Amino acid sequence: MAVTIYDVAREANVSMATVSRVVNGNQNVKPATRKKVLDCIERLGYRPNAVARGLASKKTTTVGVIVPDISISFYSELARGVADIATMYEYNIILSNSDERTVREVELIEDHLGKQVDGMIFMSDSISDEVRKEMATANIPIVLAGTLDVEKQLPSVNIDYEEAAYMAVKKLIDSGHKRIVFASGPFTRDINRASKKVGYIRALEEAGLPVEEELIIELDNSYDTAYQNWHRIAELPGKPNAIVATNDRIAVGILNGLRDNGLSVPEDYEIICFEHSNMARVVRPQLTSIVVPLYDLGAVAMRLLTKLMDGEEVSEEQVILPFRLEERDSMKK
Amino acid sequence: MAVTIYDVAREANVSMATVSRVVNGNQNVKPATRKKVLDCIERLGYRPNAVARGLASKKTTTVGVIVPDISISFYSELARGVADIATMYEYNIILSNSDERTVREVELIEDHLGKQVDGMIFMSDSISDEVRKEMATANIPIVLAGTLDVEKQLPSVNIDYEEAAYMAVKKLIDSGHKRIVFASGPFTRDINRASKKVGYIRALEEAGLPVEEELIIELDNSYDTAYQNWHRIAELPGKPNAIVATNDRIAVGILNGLRDNGLSVPEDYEIICFEHSNMARVVRPQLTSIVVPLYDLGAVAMRLLTKLMDGEEVSEEQVILPFRLEERDSMKK
DNA sequence: CTGAAAGCGCTAACAG
DNA sequence: CTGTTAGCGCTTTCAG
């Protein structure tokens, strides 16, 4: 049997309340008593039971983090940002993978709520109605990280994806391209349909260029699929040779697909990538890219969550972080 | 106030014990009663409080996972394996980053134990005495994943790193190399000093080749450091042109450093990489490499942990998984 | 098949 | 500055 607060109290000849005060840093304890208690704690190897504490105090100092897939570097970098700030504020993290399946997302939220997390960080390319409904039943704050809420209701931390896409496309247009392939993740996902694609179209229209449906290529978000689909781009009529990808996995997949089949970047194709996670950082040629501050997205989201959990007044719950376009070698100079 | 088991009991005109039985799938409940209770649960939106349950049952169905840095793909892929099996057995995961700092590792183990995790998965390149001592105070099973215990005491899941290093070096020797650079992570870490380096030396000696200290290059484990240190290899007397790296970050860092400075792989340098995580998978030329089954390492470790937590008899607590050497394009054919 | 009752280990008033 | 006393919401005997 593990040693409890009672054992310490008995050993130190004080009440459990006093031990509790010492453990929780309450100042109303005479230094001598404090020392005596601390000694007993040390001697007995007492370790406070966070579960009992959680039950009594109704706070678990634990936050739930739901992520599509932690093995994808975009999410693992975000998660690291979340984790560091969580540590700073002494929260633990319960991490779960949803694979972006709505059913699973709902299950996980339910599950985390059952564990009595004090707050939650949620990541996905889209918020379904079911998820939205589930979140509404929660009595704890939930912050979206790198996740778009088209209804602009939920607290969130993002960059302006539409503007970023617009800027990427414009970059290509400015360097002379008139036909730009938009290699995107599923349009069933808000972030692609309602944001990045909108930016793509806006840039085109603003330049007086036609929106050609055949240049819009919908893929899933996997590297492998993008890799295998290089030829869909290569076989496009009129051979458009500029590509903007909605994320790293797609950009790098296409880049490698093209190169492994004898085509060159940027000579044959110019590519702009989105995100620039560690995965994209190591490929060559280095990718001209929208650099999303992944770590910061996670860190700021967690910081926002701490404020919400503490009941602090937050002036703006929809945080937009800056991004930048970095020119490297996947476009001609 | 959230709805409790009492509310459901009152609503259904049964005792809380009966509600508990229904919730926990105990068969000793008359179908009619069960249905009545289930209806009330549904109607009231009752959600069992896992914290209270944990306190009463002394099981939290939560396991702690301590990882050096989740944003490193090696670890995030291992973590995904752990998470999937955890989900399968209905465990949640508390994930924490240690940055491989002993002090932090000890703190985290203490912290997770306080949270009453039912078991733990631990990852690091070395197990310090402090960590070992801390683990000894735990009354729960702890399994090492991708983490070497030189004392062979703790339950663990690994590949045979020494044999893998031996095989990598032998591969280079067999293709004619006599001077092979060993680009390694810190030798303060067991996995490098007591295992991979041992394999390197064994291969050399077996081939009657001298062990040249100057060819053994100690780096930290970061991509950036390796990238910046390409010249240490390029400037080596006699220009050895075969390299074996102890992990992906080092291999890819050196590869890119070399290439960005006008050298070619495999023409100027032949490289064998270790791990082959997603990060290594996307670089070109594709790396001839020791392929470590990352996901499986995590999955098997978690499976082992479930057995240990269930008190099942385990025939072998030191699991060694197979690895393979895959030939690709960072060596001449 | 069901209910009563005793905790699990700790926090948080409330007294003193 | 310290002790007493209720719970927190649930599991788990033990009876019946």
Side-chain angles (χ1 to χ4, degrees), chain A residues 144-155:
Chain A
L144 307 180
T147 298
L148 192 68
D149 173 19
V150 287
E151 298 189 4
K152 300 185 193 301
Q153 297 299 306
L154 304 164

Side-chain angles (χ1 to χ4, degrees), chain B residues 134-286:
Chain B
E134 186 67 29
M135 285 180 171
T137 75
N139 294 310
I140 54 165
I142 298 179
V143 173
L144 307 180
T147 297
L148 192 69
D149 173 17
V150 286
E151 298 189 4
K152 300 185 192 301
Q153 296 299 307
L154 304 163
S156 62
V157 180
N158 287 289
I159 64 157
D160 184 337
Y161 306 105
E162 181 189 325
E163 186 63 23
Y166 167 85
M167 195 177 289
V169 176
K170 185 165 188 327
K171 173 82 185 160
L172 256 4
I173 292 173
D174 287 348
S175 76
H177 290 283
K178 303 213 175 308
R179 302 186 67 222
I180 298 166
V181 174
F182 185 65
S184 173
F187 290 120
T188 49
R189 317 303 288 163
D190 293 336
I191 203 169
N192 300 317
R193 187 195 61 257
S195 193
K196 294 180 183 177
K197 184 178 177 186
V198 172
Y200 166 72
I201 291 175
R202 177 157 62 89
L204 251 28
E205 293 183 337
E206 195 178 291
L209 261 20
V211 175
E212 304 177 65
E213 280 302 328
E214 59 192 2
L215 298 190
I216 297 177
I217 298 194
E218 185 175 4
L219 302 164
D220 59 27
N221 282 321
S222 74
Y223 167 81
D224 290 336
T225 298
Y227 183 78
Q228 290 154 13
N229 279 271
W230 68 276
H231 65 89
R232 281 177 60 188
I233 293 173
E235 292 162 358
L236 245 20
K239 295 220 180 298
N241 57 357
I243 305 166
V244 46
T246 59
N247 66 43
D248 276 358
R249 288 151 277 161
I250 292 178
V252 176
I254 290 176
L255 169 72
N256 282 347
L258 252 18
R259 284 162 50 89
D260 287 355
N261 287 283
L263 272 353
S264 300
V265 173
E267 294 74 10
D268 300 321
Y269 289 90
E270 297 192 71
I271 297 179
I272 287 195
C273 126
F274 215 113
E275 289 181 6
H276 207 244
S277 65
N278 285 330
M279 176 199 187
R281 200 160 4 243
V282 300
V283 303
R284 294 293 181 272
Q286 298 204 50

Side-chain angles (χ1 to χ4, degrees), chain A residues 42-91:
Chain A
E42 174 73 24
R43 181 144 32 86
L44 300 183
Y46 169 65
R47 179 185 291 141
N49 181 324
V51 172
R53 176 180 293 179
L55 183 59
S57 69
K58 297 183 168 304
K59 298 187 81 289
T60 54
T61 61
T62 300
V63 305
V65 178
I66 295 176
V67 72
D69 180 353
I70 196 60
S71 70
I72 290 173
S73 72
F74 176 80
Y75 295 111
S76 69
E77 290 174 51
L78 266 160
R80 182 68 215 246
V82 171
D84 283 356
I85 305 303
T87 297
M88 189 174 301
Y89 287 88
E90 307 199 271
Y91 282 96

Side-chain angles (χ1 to χ4, degrees), chain B residues 15 18 21 30 33 56 58:
Chain B
S15 71
T18 298
R21 289 193 184 93
K30 188 162 46 169
T33 312
K58 297 182 168 306

